[in-house]
Amino acid sequence: MTLSIFVQILTLYPIIGAICWTIGGIFYRTIYVGKFLDKDFKKIPKNKEPMITIMIPCHNEEVMIEETIGYLMHEIDYHNYEVLVCDDGSTDTTPEILDRLRLKYDNLRVLRVNKNNGKAHAFNIGLSFARGEYILSNDADTVPEPNALQKYMNYFLSPGGQNTAAVTANMDVQNRSLLVEKSQTVEFSSIVGIIKRSQMGVLGNMYAYSGANTMYRKDAILDCGGFRQDRATEDISIAWDQQFNGWQAVFAPDIMFYMNVPNTFNMLYNQRKRWAKGGTEAWLTNFKRVAKHPIKNAPKIVMLLDQTGSILWSFYYLIFTTWLIFKVIYFVFTNDSEQLVHTLDMTFLFSAFISMVGVWQLVASLALDNHGAKMKYLLFAPGYMVWYWQMNAITIATTFIPAIKTVFSFAGKGTWVSPTRTKMTKKGEDN
C-alpha cells in the first residue's frame, strides 16, 4: 500500500511541482513584491556610488570577450567600477585580445592564471585583487542592462539590505534565431524564473544563484571561504553556503541581463550535464547540514525535498520509458493489438494531461515574467517540452554517480571547457 502511494506520487510529481511553482509564482507577484521589495529605484549620486568590480572569469573566449568588454565599458550607467578579467589558462587568442584592450581602457584589469583550474578558482584568485566592495559575476557571453548596477545597488543600500549577500538577476536569451534557442527563452521564464520567484516568495531562500550575472557582497563571499573549487557549479554551492551562514539572498526579476545560450543540442547537453551534477552535489552536501537543525532550516528542507523528487522522478521516468518501449515492441511482435492499443491510449491520455498542466505553468510563467512580453514564445513550448523533459532526466541520471564521487571522495575538479560561442546579437533583439 505504501509503495503504491509512493509510485503514484512519483508519477504525478511533475504535475504537483508545476502546480506548486505556479501558485508560488503568483504569491510572489501579488504578495511578496509589494510587501518586501521596494521597486522604487533611486538614482545613486555619482559621489556616493560604492565601488563595484565586474569580474569576468574566462577560458578561451576569443569570440565574445572583446564585444562583452566593449559593452561594459561604454553602455553601463555607472561610474565607480572596474572590469577585472581572470583569464584561466586560455590557449586561443584571448590573452592577446585582453592585452590590447588593457591598453585601451583604464578601468580594465587582467589577471592571467597559467593553468586551467576552473571558474571557481579564477573567481577566488580575482577576489584577492578586486578593488570593489561588491562583485558582479559576469560571464564572457553575458551583458546586463545599462542601468543594472544602479538597480543592484538599490537592493544592497536599502534599509533592509545590510544582510544581503547576493542579488541575482533575471535571465533573458539574446540569440533567438534557432528553435533550440527560442525554446530556452521559454524555459528560463517557465522553469528558472518561476522557481526562483516561488522559492523567494514562499520560502525566503534560493536554491541557486545565476552564475552568469549575480552581484555579491564581497564580505559575504569571504565569510564563506570563497567559492568551492571542487564543485561543478560554483553558483549553487555559494548560494547554500551563504544562506547557511545567515546571509540573505534576493531574486530581482526587474534587473535584466542578456546571455547567449547554446544553439546546438550537443552544446546544450554538455551545459545541462554540468548543471545537473552541480544540483546533485548541492543536494548531497546539504542534507547533513539541514538535518542538524531541521526546524531552523525548514525552508531548506522543502528545497531539498523538491530536488529529491526531481532526482527520483528522473530515474523513474527513464526506467518506465524503457519498460514501456519494450512492452510496446512485445505487443507488436506477439500481434496483441488489444493490449497495444490500450497501452498507447493510456500513454497518450497521461501525456496529454501532463502537457496541459505544463502549458498552464508556461502561460502563468510567461505572464509573470516581464509583464507578459515573452508570451509570443509560447508557440515554441512544444519544442521546449520535447527536449527539456528528456534532457533533464538523462543528465541527472548520467551525472549522479560522478556527483557522489565528488562529494564523498573529494574527487571533484574545477577545470572547464568553454562552449562554442556565436557573436552577440543586438541586446534584447527579437529574432
Side-chain angles (χ1 to χ4, degrees):
M1 181 66 177
T2 303
L3 180 61
S4 176
I5 294 175
F6 174 75
V7 171
Q8 291 178 29
I9 293 175
L10 195 58
T11 303
L12 298 174
Y13 172 77
I15 297 174
I16 297 172
I19 294 173
C20 290
W21 295 132
T22 302
I23 294 174
I26 295 173
F27 177 85
Y28 175 90
R29 180 68 174 272
T30 57
I31 305 296
Y32 182 83
V33 170
K35 187 175 181 181
F36 296 101
L37 293 183
D38 181 10
K39 297 182 67 177
D40 184 20
F41 292 109
K42 300 175 178 63
K43 180 80 171 181
I44 302 172
K46 183 178 178 180
N47 62 342
K48 293 185 178 180
E49 291 178 345
M51 179 63 177
I52 294 174
T53 295
I54 301 177
M55 193 180 298
I56 307 177
C58 69
H59 175 72
N60 291 348
E61 295 286 0
E62 62 183 3
V63 175
M64 297 291 302
I65 193 66
E66 184 166 2
E67 192 171 357
T68 299
I69 291 175
Y71 177 93
L72 295 174
M73 290 299 176
H74 298 292
E75 302 296 331
I76 297 299
D77 180 20
Y78 203 83
H79 304 88
N80 192 19
Y81 74 98
E82 65 171 353
V83 176
L84 178 61
V85 181
C86 300
D87 178 17
D88 191 43
S90 293
T91 56
D92 60 359
T93 62
T94 298
E96 288 79 7
I97 295 172
L98 292 174
D99 284 342
R100 173 168 50 82
L101 294 177
R102 184 167 50 84
L103 299 176
K104 182 178 180 181
Y105 300 113
D106 292 336
N107 59 336
L108 172 63
R109 301 165 65 211
V110 178
L111 294 176
R112 169 72 178 177
V113 181
N114 290 326
K115 184 179 180 182
N116 174 10
N117 286 304
K119 184 177 180 180
H121 178 265
F123 246 127
N124 289 336
I125 294 293
L127 285 174
S128 301
F129 294 87
R131 295 170 179 161
E133 306 169 59
Y134 300 90
I135 310 294
L136 177 64
S137 164
N138 198 102
D139 281 359
D141 63 340
T142 300
V143 293
E145 62 179 335
N147 63 347
L149 300 192
Q150 291 279 345
K151 289 184 175 181
Y152 276 122
M153 293 318 305
N154 266 260
Y155 282 102
F156 284 106
L157 300 178
S158 66
Q162 295 87 350
N163 197 44
T164 298
V167 179
T168 193
N170 193 4
M171 291 181 284
D172 199 1
V173 174
Q174 190 163 222
N175 50 325
R176 304 174 187 170
S177 300
L178 304 176
L179 179 60
V180 66
E181 298 165 348
K182 295 178 187 293
S183 297
Q184 288 172 83
T185 301
V186 176
E187 178 199 7
F188 283 132
S189 295
S190 64
I191 296 296
V192 178
I194 203 166
I195 287 179
K196 280 185 166 60
R197 284 177 172 86
S198 298
Q199 290 172 348
M200 288 304 305
V202 179
L203 304 175
N205 281 251
M206 199 184 307
Y207 194 90
Y209 302 149
S210 167
N213 208 269
T214 292
M215 179 82 81
Y216 296 94
R217 188 186 298 273
K218 184 178 179 180
D219 287 346
I221 301 177
L222 298 176
D223 182 57
C224 299
F227 293 89
R228 292 180 183 243
Q229 296 178 189
D230 59 347
R231 296 293 188 262
T233 49
E234 84 294 333
D235 46 357
I236 300 179
S237 59
I238 193 69
W240 281 85
D241 289 342
Q242 288 184 337
Q243 290 171 105
F244 264 113
N245 277 20
W247 293 95
Q248 296 296 314
V250 174
F251 173 55
D254 36 22
I255 304 178
M256 299 300 301
F257 70 91
Y258 305 88
M259 61 187 298
N260 275 25
V261 296
N263 55 13
T264 68
F265 284 103
N266 183 55
M267 290 166 56
L268 186 63
Y269 176 72
N270 289 329
Q271 180 196 64
R272 298 315 165 91
K273 278 182 67 178
R274 185 175 65 84
W275 289 9
K277 185 171 183 285
T280 302
E281 287 170 352
W283 176 70
L284 292 167
T285 300
N286 294 295
F287 253 115
K288 185 177 180 180
R289 293 204 287 185
V290 170
K292 286 182 178 179
H293 305 284
I295 297 177
K296 177 183 177 181
N297 293 314
K300 296 179 178 65
I301 291 177
V302 176
M303 293 194 296
L304 286 181
L305 287 175
D306 174 63
Q307 183 69 5
T308 302
S310 296
I311 293 171
L312 290 175
W313 184 85
S314 296
F315 283 100
Y316 173 78
Y317 174 77
L318 293 174
I319 293 171
F320 176 79
T321 301
T322 303
W323 171 79
L324 183 64
I325 292 172
F326 278 108
K327 188 175 181 180
V328 168
I329 293 174
Y330 174 77
F331 289 148
V332 169
F333 277 97
T334 58
N335 202 26
D336 193 340
S337 57
E338 183 177 351
Q339 288 295 327
L340 177 63
V341 171
H342 176 73
T343 301
L344 294 177
D345 283 345
M346 295 302 296
T347 302
F348 175 79
L349 288 173
F350 180 75
S351 299
F353 180 66
I354 204 169
S355 297
M356 287 174 59
V357 175
V359 169
W360 173 49
Q361 178 186 343
L362 289 172
V363 171
S365 304
L366 293 172
L368 289 171
D369 194 68
N370 202 16
H371 306 287
K374 300 177 186 175
M375 189 64 74
K376 61 185 177 182
Y377 290 101
L378 186 63
L379 296 172
F380 303 97
Y384 148 77
M385 289 181 175
V386 167
W387 68 257
Y388 179 81
W389 287 78
Q390 320 305 321
M391 193 167 295
N392 188 53
I394 292 171
T395 53
I396 287 178
T398 55
T399 60
F400 188 74
I401 298 301
I404 291 177
K405 290 181 178 179
T406 296
V407 173
F408 292 105
S409 66
F410 306 100
K413 60 180 181 178
T415 56
W416 58 358
V417 178
S418 292
T420 302
R421 301 295 194 194
T422 55
K423 277 289 185 181
M424 210 180 280
T425 59
K426 184 179 179 181
K427 181 181 68 65
E429 178 180 334
D430 288 340
N431 296 317

